[in-house]
Amino acid sequence: MKISVKPSGSLREGGGGAAHIRGNRKQRSLGQRQFCFPSVRKWSGCFWLERPFCLHESSVCSCKASKKSVLIGIWFVDQRGGKINTNGFVATEEPPSESTYLGKMPPSFGMIAALHGDLDTSAGVGKVFFRQDSRADVLRRAAEHINRAFPYNDEVDPTHAVVVTWVDVAPHTPHTRGDGLEKKRNSFQLVLASLQKASYAILLYARDGVQFSSTLVQGSDVIMHGGFSKGLVPGFWFTSQGPYYRTTSDEEISVRELAEQTNSGQRGVWVYEIGTSPTFSDVSPGEVTDLPTEPPPFLAQTTEPSWPLYTGEQVKNDPEQIEIHSNQYQPLQPHDPEVVEADPRSPKQNTKLDGTSGPGRIDGQNHISHFFYFSVFSYNFGTCSNNRNKCSQFADCRDYSSGFCCHCRPGFYGNGIQCVAEGKPQRMNGKIHGRVFVGSSPYPVELGGVDLHSYVVVNDGRSYVAISDIPETLGPSLLPLSVLGGVIGWAFALEQPGYRNGFSVIGGEFTREAEVTFMPWNEKLIIRQEFKGTDELDHLVVKTTLEGKVPEMPLGSTVTMDPYAEIYQYGSNLITSSSTREYKVNMPDGSTETRTYQCRQTITFQSCQHGDSLRDVKPSQMLSVDQVFVLYDVNNKILRYAMSNKVGDVNGGEPEENPCFTGRHGCDNNAVCRPGQGSQFTCECAAGFLGNGRDCDDIDECRENPQICGYNAVCNNQPGTYRCECEDGFQFGSDSRTCVEVDRPVNHCEDGTHDCDTPERAQCSYTGSSSFICSCLPGYVGDGRNCQDIDECQSRRCHQDADCFNTPGSFACRCRQGYRGDGSYCYSGEKVSAETRCEEERDSLLGGTVFGPRGPRPSESHIPACDGNGEYEPLQCDRRTGSCWCVDRNGVEVRGTRSAPGPCQTGIHDDGGPPDVRPTPRPDVDPLPPGTHLLFAQSGRIEHVPLESYEMRKEGAKAVLHLPERVIIGVAYDCVEKVVYWTDITSPAISKASIQGGEPTTVIRTDLGSPEGITVDHIGRTIFWTDSMKDRIEVASLDGSRRRVIVDSDLINPRAIVADPVHGHLYWTDWNREAPKIETSYMDGSNRRVLVQNDLGLPNGLTYDFQSSLLCWADAGTHKMECMHPDRGDRTSVLEGIQYPFGITSYGRKIFYTDWKRNAVVAMDRHSGRESDEFQPAKQTKLYGITSAYSQCPPGRNYCSVNNGGCTHLCLATPNGRSCKCPNNPATAACVERPAEY
């Protein structure tokens, strides 16, 4: 649509665009009309408010005010009406069906769009609130924003405002078959501020409030839109598009910039004048696009924000808010199955001013409180027929007369939205923010997103919590606060007969607030926790905030806690408890003190109101907690809590003797204890596991039923379950099961559909989407589509006593008769030696070999191969690149023969002309059959051993890649493109090759010392490696570009490195003999810390198992293999007495390692702690790195999964976000860096 701009800056009819010139307000003509918000029943009605307020009488808006209510007018076009839509906009008339307007801007109807798309507010996913507000502080803040946005105009003073808030809304997308990925959420707010003759729209997008920028519309990702539209306007013969103004474009970056840029002088705040009396002419944006030098603090962290954005909790607690209730629990409207009207005058849907539901609140007088007569609609999905994907894959959906509910199937428990297998251990991960004052210190300790990890053995109720990066000034003082992780113990407590733990009642989405008061000085600490359900690995996700003060405990103090009990009171949407806890403080000087604190907590959640799922929940239950253990690890700055939890009768009841209820049963951690008569019981493996109950192994559903996910889908096995994901280029259809093809970009370079010159003269480089760049190869000149050979001989590159021969893309120098040399330097015949030309050239290059601490390193130039007579071999190959070509008897390349390796026929013409043959291609890599394999390195080769049901199939072992005269140290595998990467210390270099066949390619050959360990982030498409000579860790894109050093301090001999891209962690070993250690950091190098530093010798190998979350290492100094959960620090020895391990990798319950003494690949069973097999290759030399080449990528995603995380260059994952980083030497100035948590 064309933008048409008048001198005054107004938009013409049918005009559009994201920006235009704004005229001076004083120069505008008069005569604008007003529009009113309607009543619920009549489209031409009005929006009645509780306070007397009316702009003026208008022939357009002729509604009469009642005695109790009057009219508010909003100046915006000449439309009448206003409906808040859960899809992110306010409509000025009744919108048609979703399919007619989603993804379109402008739409066919009047619209004020904050950010509209197909948004999900059902089943508690998100909420929408609105309110009329004329409070002085709100109007003052609105005036500040307007006046700051228009500094050259007269100041305004709004007299009224309507506030609409969309909180944690998510894209409405079908779930995968699993409990669903954690959805990204958007939160934003629209304020319509009015004064006598003008109206303004003020929009706020918080820094973390725009987490997604597109939604699915008819199977395709469509960018969300913001803006203002009049809709269709009638003409003499037909209707046409009226004026509109877009605040976003069709580019994704325009949506992301809503939270980063401004037109009002404050980040994320946008102000628009949307009408002035008396005529509508245009929408005028604010005029201050510069950001303040220091941006205002993030609103969620401020106690008094300068802008009336509300978080979900603030909105709920605001008595003047009216909530648009979640769709799942709204009754079906028989007269209109698509539209639900939340009519405040209807007794069933009235909302009291205190936030509860009912017919109204009595205000001490004999009348009902004023309600806002504002029509709200959202699309209703109130039956199971179109809501099955709202339930867990382990739940059934049941219809009731007033709606539907989800119920977990036998063998699983939860609220139906989230269901987990009985007996399966559970994990919780999250971040802690906040400010805590310690003792009398006037300065708080800031917590900026430290990690919280928890693990629960459900069948005995034992829970473990670890909080990292707690400074010494705070750590000891938090020791008594087992309440920090106590909620996870309550959620998965061991259940006594007839009682239910927290997760079985309310699932994993709830909000918890605890107030801790320390006696006797009444220090208070507020703990707020928002539980966001389970992620794709079924781990609970929680966000925690701490605010307040705690008594100081000196460093070195320890705490012991006696068992305690809490009584929980259960309501339909609220759970409360209170308790007094006593603890003993053991001071560093040996003295002891007994202290107490009181803890009161409330848990709010949303239950299904239609069924009887809460009917059997007792109104009071007691949580009994014993075996409490607390510890602050000052060396690693980790705070640890452990406790045993049981839920049962508030009166204690008769003590249970059955081991299932005491937790002393000996069942496997992945098993359910089934009680029998008396003390009898049986152990039963949890769903997804197989065994006798004492020992349970994961069932690989993907292997047992390869077609379980259907066509065009990939099955990813996970502990106890599996997940189906569509292959690249496919997505789940409307049934959430079938993978359907989607339009995807075309790589013209790979498909050969580009228009670049021939591969001998030009290179095609894919740049994303369907774009590519053509560039001439060295030795050619042109635009990439037409490349001409450069005649280097014209520039006198050879010696004066040599002849120059131009060749395609290159040239050759030959000394004339009577002279010797390489052509670049020639000397007379008296100096002729007994060596041939080939031998002279070879020996002169070898004479330039560089010797280093790791051994000889050949010259970078190609060293010619000479035959037994000293003549040039007809076929010459470059070991660095793998390319080969034919030469004549003088060693000059024969035109047109450079190709993949292959034999050359002899019989080169005397005149140096080309023969009639060319080399025939041969593969450098022997393709591997389908399946999972082990890849390991020997000097000069990479070999493989196929795996079948976790066992080595040794008869199928063979060499994959031959690399003579190379010492390969580390190997890594990219499961996406089926490519093996390796480090070579002889060149030194980092190279790659496809295991499906092809030539090796060097990706990095410069600025390397001794590259050793290497790992691939298959999600973020990067490689990481250690360099033990330069003592650093680097990252680069898979093609070797965009290199960046991420760790370069306090490293002596870094060797092994592994990545956990799903959770955003790196791990590496340093075998410094003075102080060996194992460290971890985020994948951008931040948040670095030491995991293990005691009882280490030579930690050579390191592996991370994504299924068990175990980090394991092999130590050639202690001759041990050990494992630990990095978030728990539970270090255990799994094998002792090994000889000299080097590389290590894991696959399921097996660990495979290479041993220098045995020259073998050794397999050991992690569960039994015994070696089970070994493989000795035919070539008996040292074995180096080893890796698992999975047939399918491990499950999981991170913030870099889609569109490179929005980064211009390197996207490096962190546990709760990603960092956008630039290379150390960026080739372009267009690189943008963004900090972690972006």
Side-chain angles (χ1 to χ4, degrees):
M1 190 68 69
K2 294 178 61 178
I3 301 176
S4 180
V5 182
K6 294 182 180 179
S8 65
S10 62
L11 288 179
R12 295 178 181 172
E13 295 292 314
H20 66 279
I21 301 173
R22 180 184 182 275
N24 189 297
R25 182 182 299 130
K26 295 181 180 179
Q27 297 175 343
R28 295 182 183 165
S29 59
L30 303 177
Q32 181 166 5
R33 288 169 288 176
Q34 134 182 25
F35 101 94
C36 309
F37 285 79
S39 67
V40 176
R41 298 301 180 189
K42 295 171 64 179
W43 290 108
S44 58
C46 300
F47 176 30
W48 301 110
L49 300 173
E50 58 179 283
R51 295 178 176 87
F53 175 85
C54 190
L55 297 181
H56 64 278
E57 291 300 323
S58 166
S59 61
V60 175
C61 189
S62 57
C63 305
K64 302 286 186 180
S66 69
K67 293 181 180 179
K68 296 181 181 178
S69 305
V70 290
L71 175 70
I72 177 175
I74 299 293
W75 298 99
F76 175 63
V77 303
D78 59 353
Q79 311 253 349
R80 296 189 300 274
K83 280 183 171 285
I84 295 175
N85 190 292
T86 57
N87 280 337
F89 62 86
V90 174
T92 63
E93 57 190 283
E94 184 172 14
S97 63
E98 282 184 315
S99 60
T100 63
Y101 68 80
L102 284 177
K104 297 177 182 178
M105 188 53 147
S108 61
F109 56 91
M111 172 189 287
I112 301 175
L115 192 56
H116 96 77
D118 191 7
L119 302 180
D120 190 358
T121 59
S122 63
V125 171
K127 294 181 182 297
V128 184
F129 300 86
F130 72 92
R131 58 194 290 237
Q132 169 265 336
D133 204 326
S134 57
R135 291 180 295 183
D137 60 330
V138 173
L139 297 178
R140 173 181 54 80
R141 280 177 283 179
E144 289 174 355
H145 288 298
I146 296 170
N147 294 325
R148 187 178 60 250
F150 298 104
Y152 305 110
N153 295 335
D154 296 335
E155 289 193 355
V156 301
D157 189 13
T159 54
H160 208 84
V162 173
V163 182
V164 187
T165 311
W166 290 263
V167 180
D168 288 340
V169 293
H172 198 289
T173 55
H175 289 209
T176 57
R177 275 179 288 165
D179 261 359
L181 299 174
E182 179 190 359
K183 287 189 175 182
K184 295 182 178 181
R185 310 295 179 100
N186 284 355
S187 294
F188 47 90
Q189 190 170 61
L190 166 67
V191 175
L192 298 174
S194 298
L195 53 155
Q196 187 172 0
K197 293 188 177 182
S199 292
Y200 295 84
I202 310 172
L203 299 110
L204 174 70
Y205 308 90
R207 290 295 295 273
D208 65 346
V210 182
Q211 299 178 2
F212 63 92
S213 54
S214 62
T215 59
L216 278 180
V217 177
Q218 297 180 350
S220 300
D221 271 323
V222 174
I223 300 297
M224 302 174 72
H225 293 295
F228 309 88
S229 172
K230 184 176 180 179
L232 298 178
V233 296
F236 187 79
W237 295 106
F238 51 83
T239 59
S240 62
Q241 179 63 52
Y244 66 93
Y245 181 91
R246 297 181 64 173
T247 61
T248 61
S249 67
D250 291 329
E251 299 296 328
E252 184 178 357
I253 190 172
S254 69
V255 179
R256 295 200 303 268
E257 286 180 344
L258 291 175
E260 299 296 332
Q261 303 297 324
T262 182
N263 69 2
S264 71
Q266 182 170 339
R267 187 189 306 273
V269 179
W270 302 77
V271 180
Y272 300 90
E273 185 181 19
I274 59 174
T276 52
S277 175
T279 60
F280 171 78
S281 57
D282 62 3
V283 171
S284 302
E287 299 167 344
V288 182
T289 58
D290 295 332
L291 293 172
T293 304
E294 291 192 7
F298 182 71
L299 295 179
Q301 298 174 356
T302 61
T303 56
E304 203 157 332
S306 60
W307 167 250
L309 175 70
Y310 296 87
T311 65
E313 283 306 302
Q314 288 171 314
V315 172
K316 291 179 205 173
N317 297 330
D318 192 323
E320 296 195 27
Q321 294 288 338
I322 292 182
E323 178 183 347
I324 303 171
H325 292 286
S326 302
N327 294 333
Q328 179 184 358
Y329 306 123
Q330 291 176 343
L332 184 66
Q333 303 294 309
H335 61 281
D336 188 345
E338 285 193 325
V339 176
V340 175
E341 293 197 353
D343 183 355
R345 295 175 299 180
S346 169
K348 291 185 178 180
Q349 294 187 337
N350 278 352
T351 304
K352 295 181 184 179
L353 296 184
D354 61 2
T356 60
S357 298
R361 186 187 68 185
I362 304 301
D363 284 337
Q365 300 176 4
N366 233 357
H367 67 275
I368 296 176
S369 300
H370 303 291
F371 291 108
F372 306 122
Y373 289 178
F374 198 103
S375 173
V376 179
F377 81 92
S378 60
Y379 290 88
N380 180 50
F381 301 96
T383 64
C384 289
S385 61
N386 47 17
N387 270 285
R388 295 188 188 279
N389 60 354
K390 298 289 192 307
C391 301
S392 164
Q393 67 163 336
F394 307 115
D396 295 318
C397 183
R398 299 178 195 168
D399 281 321
Y400 296 88
S401 59
S402 57
F404 74 92
C405 287
C406 303
H407 300 275
C408 297
R409 296 170 187 155
F412 298 87
Y413 63 101
N415 67 342
I417 305 297
Q418 294 100 27
C419 300
V420 296
E422 293 179 349
K424 181 181 176 182
Q426 299 299 323
R427 289 178 171 83
M428 177 180 73
N429 302 308
K431 294 286 187 181
I432 299 180
H433 297 80
R435 304 189 315 158
V436 180
F437 291 87
V438 179
S440 59
S441 173
Y443 304 107
V445 178
E446 302 278 353
L447 297 176
V450 299
D451 289 323
L452 181 150
H453 299 285
S454 181
Y455 178 83
V456 184
V457 182
V458 174
N459 60 22
D460 65 7
R462 187 76 175 163
S463 62
Y464 305 86
V465 177
I467 306 172
S468 61
D469 294 321
I470 300 296
E472 298 175 3
T473 53
L474 178 62
S477 302
L478 293 183
L479 281 171
L481 287 174
S482 59
V483 66
L484 268 174
V487 67
I488 190 72
W490 164 79
F492 297 104
L494 186 64
E495 297 173 331
Q496 303 301 295
Y499 295 87
R500 294 167 62 181
N501 60 29
F503 191 89
S504 68
V505 176
I506 67 174
E509 291 188 26
F510 57 91
T511 301
R512 176 226 196 186
E513 180 168 317
E515 180 185 87
V516 180
T517 304
F518 294 88
M519 310 303 291
W521 304 113
N522 291 326
E523 298 96 338
K524 288 187 184 296
L525 181 71
I526 304 298
I527 304 171
R528 296 183 179 90
Q529 291 181 301
E530 181 183 358
F531 287 80
K532 301 180 179 180
T534 55
D535 61 15
E536 60 179 348
L537 298 178
D538 288 335
H539 297 174
L540 268 180
V541 179
V542 62
K543 179 180 179 181
T544 302
T545 303
L546 304 181
E547 293 287 344
K549 185 177 181 179
V550 296
E552 182 178 11
M553 288 176 43
L555 188 64
S557 302
T558 61
V559 167
T560 56
M561 299 188 70
D562 293 332
Y564 62 88
E566 287 181 303
I567 295 178
Y568 284 73
Q569 307 285 347
Y570 289 75
S572 60
N573 290 292
L574 181 70
I575 300 173
T576 61
S577 76
S578 62
S579 63
T580 299
R581 305 186 187 180
E582 188 173 277
Y583 59 97
K584 181 183 293 183
V585 181
N586 304 298
M587 299 294 185
D589 60 5
S591 61
T592 62
E593 293 182 13
T594 299
R595 301 180 181 180
T596 60
Y597 66 78
Q598 296 175 345
C599 178
R600 295 186 302 169
Q601 65 175 337
T602 59
I603 297 172
T604 57
F605 62 99
Q606 190 172 34
S607 63
C608 189
Q609 304 295 321
H610 309 304
D612 55 0
S613 58
L614 297 181
R615 186 170 299 172
D616 60 342
V617 178
K618 292 181 169 52
S620 299
Q621 298 187 138
M622 185 169 69
L623 178 71
S624 301
V625 182
D626 59 12
Q627 302 180 50
V628 183
F629 170 80
V630 296
L631 171 70
Y632 177 63
D633 182 348
V634 66
N635 292 326
N636 294 308
K637 295 181 173 55
I638 298 178
L639 191 63
R640 301 186 187 278
Y641 303 102
M643 60 200 77
S644 293
N645 309 271
K646 300 175 185 176
V647 61
D649 191 349
V650 295
N651 298 313
E654 293 296 324
E656 287 290 342
E657 299 298 331
N658 193 288
C660 290
F661 304 124
T662 63
R664 302 185 182 94
H665 44 66
C667 298
D668 188 273
N669 284 352
N670 293 298
V672 183
C673 182
R674 302 292 188 192
Q677 294 292 328
S679 61
Q680 300 296 311
F681 68 95
T682 57
C683 297
E684 178 183 312
C685 290
F689 294 86
L690 186 66
N692 59 9
R694 299 282 182 173
D695 294 291
C696 300
D697 294 320
D698 175 48
I699 298 173
D700 190 342
E701 294 89 350
C702 302
R703 182 183 295 273
E704 293 191 354
N705 185 2
Q707 303 301 320
I708 194 170
C709 289
Y711 296 107
N712 305 314
V714 175
C715 179
N716 289 316
N717 187 56
Q718 297 178 0
T721 184
Y722 68 96
R723 185 174 303 280
C724 297
E725 296 179 0
C726 293
E727 296 175 346
D728 288 343
F730 293 85
Q731 65 184 17
F732 285 111
S734 57
D735 62 356
S736 303
R737 296 173 56 87
T738 306
C739 293
V740 297
E741 189 169 9
V742 296
D743 294 333
R744 55 181 176 177
V746 177
N747 186 339
H748 293 284
C749 297
E750 184 177 287
D751 294 348
T753 54
H754 59 83
D755 58 353
C756 301
D757 207 337
T758 62
E760 291 80 10
R761 294 191 291 270
Q763 175 180 333
C764 179
S765 301
Y766 179 58
T767 58
S769 185
S770 295
S771 304
F772 61 92
I773 296 175
C774 299
S775 55
C776 294
L777 294 175
Y780 296 90
V781 64
D783 61 0
R785 289 171 170 79
N786 184 12
C787 300
Q788 302 295 326
D789 175 50
I790 299 173
D791 188 352
E792 294 87 354
C793 294
Q794 298 296 323
S795 57
R796 298 182 179 274
R797 297 217 181 170
C798 300
H799 191 266
Q800 62 184 2
D801 295 317
D803 295 321
C804 180
F805 299 89
N806 187 51
T807 61
S810 185
F811 68 100
C813 300
R814 184 193 307 166
C815 292
R816 298 185 184 125
Q817 188 173 4
Y819 291 88
R820 291 285 186 176
D822 60 2
S824 61
Y825 175 75
C826 300
Y827 49 89
S828 63
E830 292 83 24
K831 298 182 181 180
V832 173
S833 66
E835 289 185 328
T836 64
R837 179 192 298 272
C838 181
E839 291 169 337
E840 278 188 356
E841 183 181 356
R842 179 192 63 192
D843 294 344
S844 66
L845 291 171
L846 288 175
T849 298
V850 178
F851 287 84
R854 299 272 172 178
R857 295 185 179 162
S859 167
E860 290 292 320
S861 303
H862 166 63
I863 301 174
C866 308
D867 63 17
N869 297 320
E871 301 299 328
Y872 288 98
E873 292 277 5
L875 177 67
Q876 297 286 324
C877 292
D878 189 335
R879 294 191 183 95
R880 296 167 301 151
T881 65
S883 61
C884 297
W885 61 93
C886 292
V887 299
D888 63 15
R889 63 187 58 184
N890 293 310
V892 177
E893 181 177 347
V894 178
R895 183 186 300 241
T897 62
R898 185 173 289 265
S899 150
C904 277
Q905 293 188 5
T906 57
I908 305 297
H909 298 295
D910 291 340
D911 61 1
D916 294 330
V917 296
R918 295 187 179 185
T920 57
R922 65 173 179 80
D924 281 68
V925 177
D926 293 328
L928 295 183
T932 299
H933 306 263
L934 296 176
L935 297 174
F936 63 90
Q938 276 187 300
S939 182
R941 67 172 65 186
I942 294 176
E943 299 198 26
H944 92 103
V945 183
L947 294 177
E948 186 173 322
S949 298
Y950 305 107
E951 304 297 332
M952 292 188 291
R953 192 161 55 83
K954 293 180 282 188
E955 68 277 5
K958 67 176 181 178
V960 180
L961 185 63
H962 295 272
L963 299 162
E965 303 178 17
R966 294 286 180 262
V967 179
I968 303 169
I969 301 297
V971 289
Y973 181 67
D974 176 19
C975 57
V976 176
E977 296 182 346
K978 313 296 185 187
V979 170
V980 60
Y981 289 77
W982 66 90
T983 58
D984 168 16
I985 65 170
T986 50
S987 302
I990 297 174
S991 305
K992 68 177 182 178
S994 170
I995 66 168
Q996 296 174 330
E999 296 182 358
T1001 303
T1002 300
V1003 294
I1004 297 175
R1005 67 174 74 230
T1006 61
D1007 196 24
L1008 295 173
S1010 181
E1012 297 190 6
I1014 186 170
T1015 187
V1016 172
D1017 173 5
H1018 68 280
I1019 300 175
R1021 315 307 293 146
T1022 52
I1023 52 174
F1024 297 80
W1025 69 92
T1026 62
D1027 194 317
S1028 66
M1029 186 174 293
K1030 294 186 177 290
D1031 297 333
R1032 67 193 187 193
I1033 297 174
E1034 290 190 69
V1035 63
S1037 298
L1038 292 181
D1039 61 0
S1041 64
R1042 301 175 177 178
R1043 286 177 64 177
R1044 181 183 178 96
V1045 176
I1046 58 172
V1047 179
D1048 61 357
S1049 63
D1050 197 23
L1051 292 176
I1052 304 299
N1053 292 109
R1055 173 159 290 167
I1057 185 169
V1058 293
D1060 174 16
V1062 173
H1063 301 103
H1065 287 287
L1066 279 179
Y1067 305 95
W1068 66 87
T1069 67
D1070 187 336
W1071 56 270
N1072 172 19
R1073 293 182 183 272
E1074 299 292 330
K1077 59 186 175 181
I1078 300 174
E1079 293 188 274
T1080 183
S1081 74
Y1082 295 166
M1083 296 184 76
D1084 62 355
S1086 65
N1087 203 45
R1088 178 184 176 187
R1089 60 189 176 92
V1090 176
L1091 276 179
V1092 183
Q1093 60 185 355
N1094 299 321
D1095 301 322
L1096 292 176
L1098 293 172
N1100 273 336
L1102 191 66
T1103 183
Y1104 180 83
D1105 178 54
F1106 70 91
Q1107 290 188 345
S1108 62
S1109 300
L1110 277 175
L1111 182 73
C1112 300
W1113 64 92
D1115 194 315
T1118 62
H1119 307 289
K1120 290 182 180 179
M1121 188 178 296
E1122 299 182 81
C1123 295
M1124 69 181 296
H1125 291 92
D1127 57 337
R1128 291 161 51 191
D1130 50 348
R1131 179 179 176 182
T1132 58
S1133 175
V1134 296
L1135 185 64
E1136 298 186 5
I1138 54 181
Q1139 297 185 37
Y1140 204 104
F1142 188 87
I1144 179 176
T1145 188
S1146 58
Y1147 182 60
R1149 62 188 294 171
K1150 291 294 182 70
I1151 294 178
F1152 302 89
Y1153 70 94
T1154 59
D1155 193 295
W1156 275 13
K1157 295 286 188 182
R1158 298 158 70 172
N1159 292 332
V1161 177
V1162 184
M1164 67 86 58
D1165 189 303
R1166 181 163 42 85
H1167 291 183
S1168 66
R1170 298 188 182 93
E1171 292 182 355
S1172 58
D1173 199 2
E1174 78 170 23
F1175 167 70
Q1176 287 187 328
K1179 183 180 178 181
Q1180 285 294 288
T1181 58
K1182 289 180 178 177
L1183 278 61
Y1184 291 89
I1186 185 171
T1187 190
S1188 301
Y1190 293 99
S1191 59
Q1192 297 171 348
C1193 288
R1197 300 180 183 177
N1198 61 31
Y1199 284 85
C1200 298
S1201 302
V1202 179
N1203 195 30
N1204 197 41
C1207 300
T1208 61
H1209 287 68
L1210 289 169
C1211 181
L1212 304 176
T1214 61
N1216 199 34
R1218 72 282 200 195
S1219 291
C1220 295
K1221 296 296 184 183
C1222 295
N1224 289 127
N1225 297 301
T1228 173
C1231 184
V1232 178
E1233 287 204 348
R1234 297 182 188 274
E1237 313 308 327
Y1238 158 65

